[in-house]
Amino acid sequence: MDWQAIWLSVRLAFSTTAILLLVGVPLAGWLAFSPRRWRFLVEAAVALPLVLPPTVLGFYVLLAIGPRSPVGALYARLTGGMLPFSFQGLLIASALYSLPFAVQPVSGAFQSVDRKLIEASWCLGVSRFATFRRVVVPLARPGISTGAILSFAHTMGEFGVVLMVGGNISGVTRTVSISIYDQVQALRYDAALETSLFLLGFSFVVLALTYALQKRIRSTWPMN
Amino acid sequence: MADELICRVRKRLRSGFELDAGLSVPLDRSRVTVLLGPSGSGKTTLLRLLAGLDRPDTGIISFRGAVWHDSSCALHLPPQRRRAGFLFQDYALFPHLTVAANVAFAGGRERAAALMDTFGIAGLAALYPRAISGGQQQRVALARALAAGSALLLLDEPLSALDAASRVRLRTDLRRMLLDGGVPSVVVTHDRAEAIALGDWMAVMVDGRIRQTGPVRDVLRHPADARVAESVGVENVLPAEIVAREPGLLTLQVGELHLQCVDAGESGPLVACIHAEDVALSRDLARSSSVRNRLAGRVVSVMHDGPLARVELDCGFPLVAAITAQSAAEMDLRPDDAVCAVVKATAVHVAASVAQ
């Protein structure tokens, strides 16, 4: 089994999930509570990766982070390295690709928090931000964990975007799904079967844990 | 600085409903102000405007001299800076926090602990809101608002989430807690008995407008017009015409009968308001007494309601009398019996039939 590729995928999935929690939770909060009329445009943009072919998304990311783009140039000036075909470049692409999987469940959970609880907190003199942190986020915890798990699982299995942005460099950008693809191309079916089975089992266990966990959280404080 | 809550606001809702409410409450004379009106009259909307949860289209709101909203200079304090604790109908306790954490949500631990003692909920400190009764949740919500240093309490139908039995029992408890809290409160209700049990001062709201304000007793005794009379639960609101005016005494024509009442100088289209408990019944149609009004009628129905019996009469117009259950039993009233309704002139209050 290609442990190096598995380890790389796990690292990528964890880092992507962490980035998405940092970016996705505030973004979901904005989407859930902003009164702006053009909010639907942002919603549509966030959902784009759901329908775009990974190759299209990957291609644009590649252009956007290339050495001749402002982002790529800035990165080169700061670190001396390049984003395409690097782990960091892969991270940016995966985060964009999994954005809807993180934002949509979280935003849905925020919207379903009883409005009265938020207003009660405001009337107690608690600021909007503190209310978000102390009332909305704790009550939306099942949605946030769903978003995190989905981002993690989605990143574990991504293929097209990785290939476009990261290529296939062993130990740097060769993730587990690309490793399986390589094994099949090289007609090493035994290895491919082994790695696939591992990924299948891993994904199932992660999802089963999530649903078990969610059930427990919900039953701790059911809404009345 | 005037110790008053002043509110003159207009707001048009998306549904087309228009609120146009003017209210000033003398806080030195009213600890608990009740906002009474039928459902859909705009009471909750007004309460939300006071809290700062919604913004009026135009108007001003000020509390003890501090301006909370003034549309003429685009001043609008957010709810956080008004410190008007809002008690929702279902109390809106935070379900993910214990009772103790709820009470201390926006106040110091010591203050929270003291308030939990005062309200008798210290024993529930470690429980979650779903594990305690509606009445206990109400205490927690009150303690939470007071611990946060609320300067005014706004209560939206505080007893409506409770079952009928505890509702009556908790009325007096709630009034005592509101007085113990030491800050003025505005209580929205559609229930006249609740308003009487809770309030010092009353504002009656009908169709988005405040129609009358004053001490609770005065408003109940002397409703300003027919809609107010109906809203505060005057059982008999009878269209009337003036037929004679003697010094101090007014004779009204109601249906085919004459009613006499104290002349307070009214004119125009009128209604005669008579509380059901001010109507006595007699079998004797001819006996004379000091009572001015003796109306012959027939019993339509007798309904028992706890210690009282509600007797509906037909005197050419419908008239409701509330007498004790004992009297009803002694008189053995049955439908179609001929009886005489006896009403003192001082119990007949004359009001305008439409708002002035």
Side-chain angles (χ1 to χ4, degrees), chain B:
Chain B
M1 205 185 299
D3 195 13
E4 274 182 313
L5 171 65
I6 299 170
C7 168
R8 277 198 302 277
V9 288
R10 277 164 180 273
K11 185 171 178 70
R12 182 184 280 279
L13 301 186
R14 220 172 281 173
S15 60
F17 178 82
E18 204 179 84
L19 181 94
D20 183 0
L23 174 67
S24 72
V25 181
L27 297 171
D28 50 345
R29 283 157 66 196
S30 173
R31 314 278 297 281
V32 183
T33 304
V34 286
L35 190 55
L36 179 73
S39 25
S41 57
K43 306 181 299 284
T44 301
T45 308
L46 181 58
L47 208 61
R48 290 180 60 86
L49 292 175
L50 288 175
L53 293 171
D54 290 322
R55 198 186 267 256
D57 297 336
T58 61
I60 62 147
I61 300 171
S62 75
F63 175 73
R64 297 199 149 144
V67 179
W68 280 356
H69 182 95
D70 187 348
S71 51
S72 69
C73 55
L75 177 75
H76 179 80
L77 287 195
Q80 286 91 343
R81 292 186 49 207
R82 299 188 184 196
R83 289 301 172 92
F86 199 102
L87 263 78
F88 289 88
Q89 271 182 48
D90 61 359
Y91 316 124
L93 299 181
F94 303 121
H96 59 301
L97 299 175
T98 60
V99 165
N102 262 284
V103 177
F105 189 76
R109 296 241 155 235
E110 274 173 39
R111 195 177 155 80
L115 278 159
M116 290 205 295
D117 277 335
T118 312
F119 288 163
I121 49 173
L124 310 171
L127 297 177
Y128 283 88
R130 76 194 141 89
I132 63 178
S133 72
Q136 290 167 333
Q137 288 188 24
Q138 182 180 71
R139 286 157 183 259
V140 176
L142 264 178
R144 179 176 72 175
L146 291 169
S150 299
L152 172 70
L153 293 178
L154 303 169
L155 296 88
D156 189 8
E157 302 270 2
L159 299 165
S160 65
L162 305 172
D163 55 87
S166 19
R167 203 178 301 159
V168 173
R169 191 162 44 81
L170 286 179
R171 262 183 216 153
T172 42
D173 280 6
L174 179 59
R175 173 159 173 93
R176 213 198 51 239
M177 286 192 288
L178 291 176
L179 296 183
D180 285 350
V183 298
S185 42
V186 177
V187 183
V188 157
T189 180
H190 64 269
D191 184 317
R192 168 184 181 237
E194 224 167 274
I196 295 170
L198 290 174
D200 304 312
W201 194 267
M202 180 187 272
V204 181
M205 197 163 189
V206 180
D207 295 335
R209 281 163 179 74
I210 302 281
R211 300 286 270 267
Q212 191 175 2
T213 56
V216 170
R217 296 262 147 235
D218 292 2
V219 176
L220 291 178
R221 275 287 137 206
H222 305 290
D225 61 61
R227 290 300 301 276
V228 173
E230 282 161 15
S231 304
V232 301
V234 176
E235 293 85 350
N236 301 297
V237 181
L238 310 165
E241 262 175 65
I242 299 174
V243 289
R245 201 163 222 160
E246 296 161 45
L249 204 63
L250 204 57
T251 306
L252 303 170
Q253 171 105 36
V254 178
E256 298 293 306
L257 300 173
H258 283 182
L259 261 183
Q260 288 190 318
C261 66
V262 178
D263 187 1
E266 286 89 352
S267 60
L270 297 176
V271 287
C273 304
I274 307 168
H275 284 276
E277 60 258 39
D278 290 334
V279 181
L281 296 181
S282 156
R283 286 269 189 199
D284 183 355
L285 296 174
R287 199 171 73 191
S288 66
S289 72
S290 70
V291 179
R292 307 291 311 180
N293 299 304
R294 308 178 62 78
L295 313 171
R298 290 190 173 278
V299 175
V300 175
S301 71
V302 182
M303 252 184 4
H304 289 272
D305 178 17
L308 289 181
R310 272 171 65 89
V311 184
E312 282 182 16
L313 304 174
D314 179 6
C315 303
F317 50 86
L319 187 72
V320 179
I323 58 177
T324 58
Q326 285 83 351
S327 303
E330 280 164 24
M331 288 179 76
D332 189 28
L333 292 171
R334 291 176 192 285
D336 228 28
D337 284 1
V339 288
C340 180
V342 184
V343 186
K344 289 171 75 173
T346 50
V348 180
H349 168 69
V350 176
S353 70
V354 288
Q356 285 162 340

Side-chain angles (χ1 to χ4, degrees), chain A residues 7-21 87 91 151-152 155-156 202:
Chain A
W7 171 233
L8 184 77
S9 278
V10 169
R11 240 177 352 134
L12 182 67
F14 266 119
S15 315
T16 304
T17 306
I19 289 179
L20 283 178
L21 281 180
F87 183 77
L91 204 52
S151 312
F152 185 86
T155 308
M156 276 300 285
F202 179 83

